[in-house]
Amino acid sequence: MLRAGLIGFSSAGKTALFQLVTSGRDAAPKGGRADASVGVSRVPDERLDQLTALFNPRKRVPATVEFADIANVGGGKAGAQALLDVAPFRNADALLHVVRMFQDPSIPHPSGSVDAARDVRAMEDEVILADLGVVERRLERLERDLKKTATPDLRKEQELLVRCRETLESSRPLRALELGPEESKRLRGFQFLSAKPLLIVLNLDEADLASGPEAVGLAGIEDFLAGAATRAVPICARIELEIAQLDEADRAAFMADLGLKESGLDRVIRASYDLLGYISFFTVGEDECRAWSIPRDTPAVIAAGEIHSDISRGFIRAEVVRYEHLLARGTLAACRERGELRLEGKEYIVLDGDVINFRHAT
Ligand SMILES: Nc1nc2c(ncn2[C@@H]2O[C@H](COP(=O)(O)OP(=O)(O)O)[C@@H](O)[C@H]2O)c(=O)[nH]1
Ligand SMILES: [Mg+2]
């Protein structure tokens, strides 16, 4: 499951976005925490709807995205530093930075004016500073430990952290570092905030909503978006929250009026998937039809582990068919007759839209 943490200055619209993505028809509350609210959105997916219509299973289980919203981070003294102490942010796969672009004199901006480019940079600086604190503390400890026992492992860690420090000190985020697989893994262990992919959610003024993707241009953050693992998506949290609460017929009419093709929820989830390079595969049957999300280029044996570690451990073969073939033929048997049902091994790279039955030893 993809986990996203919402960050941003106060009154940017984090909580409005959180409500938008977790209050829809297909959402499930997950429960509160003292330091953050956590909610789960189900990923809208037409392919899963079609497979469900075909198999008529007892259960339809969409892929899920977990969102965490924190109370009042940024702007204050604590800043991004506070995020480091909150598990749903430390553990997040991606950060969603909600940036205020709406004008509303009744809601004061903490910096006195609406300026998306300034806020994007300021939040990046906070995140970088928070990571720098972690790097420096860890380096101090390492130096002491290395004096006692200089293992190659500690040396490698030190080398990596020195590179991190240089990057952060030059105001660059750790997601900009180019790392080998071993270093990447080591870095992940630290759960640095600036190493996480960043989705900038531009919370537009109602008046700009219809301008759609061009609205990104209004923010003046082209240079920033050229950075590694950084994207932007426009929404209008307040209006889209109102739309989400309408019944289906009214919702379609309202969206057409505003020139919206996709709901804010769909756009944010799609952009998060894109950013992280996530894809979906499906499992089907009379019992349940289900979507699973995995990173692109995942081998079958690892994808199996997404379902259950036993299935990965006892992996024998993956029976794979494209969902469009399954929909066209109507049954797995018909796909098999046409040679569209393939047997694949552990190393097979799972593709977006594969329908898979894992054969495994128990
Ligand atoms: N006009 C307008 N107001 C908004 C929009 N999004 C949020 N707000 C309002 O701005 C205020 C702060 O939003 P909130 O989501 O609580 O911000 P947070 O501090 O980032 O969690 C609330 O009164 C929201 O209703 C928007 O798109 N347009
Ligand atoms: Mg809030």
Side-chain angles (χ1 to χ4, degrees):
M1 174 164 67
L2 189 163
R3 284 167 305 183
L6 298 177
I7 64 172
F9 295 103
S10 67
S11 303
K14 295 181 295 298
T15 300
L17 176 63
F18 179 79
Q19 287 171 340
L20 174 65
V21 293
T22 58
S23 70
R25 156 186 72 100
D26 235 357
K30 179 108 185 282
R33 300 167 43 103
D35 46 10
S37 327
V38 177
V40 174
S41 294
R42 304 200 169 123
V43 178
D45 192 330
E46 245 174 41
R47 298 168 301 179
L48 180 64
D49 297 338
Q50 291 166 329
L51 290 168
T52 303
L54 187 61
F55 282 86
N56 198 23
R58 277 182 284 280
K59 260 167 66 191
R60 167 187 170 276
V61 187
T64 49
V65 179
E66 184 182 288
F67 290 91
D69 179 27
I70 197 167
N72 289 327
V73 160
K77 267 198 197 114
Q81 191 69 46
L83 292 173
L84 291 167
D85 299 327
V86 181
F89 288 85
R90 254 199 341 267
N91 300 335
D93 299 304
L95 295 179
L96 270 48
H97 178 192
V98 182
V99 178
R100 172 165 170 180
M101 287 184 73
F102 66 86
Q103 301 285 349
D104 189 334
S106 72
I107 303 168
H109 187 294
S111 303
S113 62
V114 173
D115 180 342
R118 175 202 60 206
D119 290 351
V120 163
R121 188 64 240 174
M123 182 54 70
E124 182 84 324
D125 289 342
E126 282 205 19
V127 164
I128 285 172
L129 262 182
D131 281 350
L132 189 57
V134 176
V135 168
E136 278 170 347
R137 280 191 298 280
R138 181 65 197 151
L139 275 172
E140 276 168 30
R141 278 215 22 210
L142 268 175
E143 249 157 63
R144 265 180 277 136
D145 292 351
L146 277 164
K147 275 182 196 141
K148 282 181 235 148
T149 40
T151 66
D153 197 55
L154 289 183
R155 284 246 175 269
K156 274 191 191 152
E157 185 176 339
Q158 189 186 35
E159 261 168 46
L160 177 61
L161 286 176
V162 166
R163 271 181 76 192
C164 288
R165 185 172 59 195
E166 283 166 4
T167 303
L168 295 166
E169 278 175 348
S170 61
S171 299
R172 285 181 301 138
L174 295 178
R175 72 183 89 84
L177 270 181
E178 279 179 35
L179 300 173
E182 198 200 322
E183 290 173 313
S184 290
K185 200 171 161 206
R186 208 180 270 278
L187 196 75
R188 267 199 301 280
F190 286 103
Q191 304 182 308
F192 290 122
L193 296 173
S194 77
K196 298 182 193 300
L198 180 67
L199 180 64
I200 308 227
V201 181
L202 299 168
N203 193 13
L204 299 182
D205 202 78
E206 286 86 328
D208 295 323
L209 186 57
S211 53
E214 285 108 74
V216 174
L218 300 173
I221 53 170
E222 291 81 0
D223 291 354
F224 192 86
L225 291 176
T230 311
R231 300 267 169 102
V233 64
I235 59 154
C236 180
R238 182 184 267 179
I239 286 221
E240 298 196 51
L241 187 55
E242 279 170 25
I243 296 175
Q245 283 155 354
L246 298 172
D247 64 44
E248 213 142 322
D250 289 345
R251 196 185 314 143
F254 209 119
M255 281 175 59
D257 261 5
L258 290 166
L260 287 179
K261 291 199 185 69
E262 248 185 333
S263 75
L265 166 66
D266 290 6
R267 289 201 309 283
V268 168
I269 288 184
R270 186 195 300 279
S272 307
Y273 261 58
D274 267 9
L275 175 69
L276 292 170
Y278 272 38
I279 59 165
S280 298
F281 72 91
F282 304 97
T283 51
V284 295
E286 282 168 13
D287 195 44
E288 78 172 23
C289 286
R290 182 159 182 165
W292 305 86
S293 44
I294 52 171
R296 197 175 292 285
D297 297 329
T298 299
V301 66
I302 305 291
E306 188 66 26
I307 303 176
H308 200 288
S309 54
D310 289 349
I311 301 182
S312 181
R313 216 172 300 126
F315 185 99
I316 299 172
R317 281 272 183 275
E319 290 180 330
V320 184
V321 62
R322 297 291 312 158
Y323 87 95
E324 61 267 31
H325 288 153
L326 182 51
L327 288 173
R329 310 296 167 233
T331 63
L332 287 166
C335 292
R336 186 178 286 119
E337 267 168 35
R338 292 182 168 247
E340 290 166 347
L341 191 73
R342 292 166 279 131
L343 280 180
E344 302 282 2
K346 288 184 178 177
E347 304 304 322
Y348 169 73
I349 298 298
V350 174
L351 300 178
D352 190 39
D354 278 350
V355 177
I356 307 185
N357 176 35
F358 290 101
R359 291 205 206 146
H360 60 104
T362 45

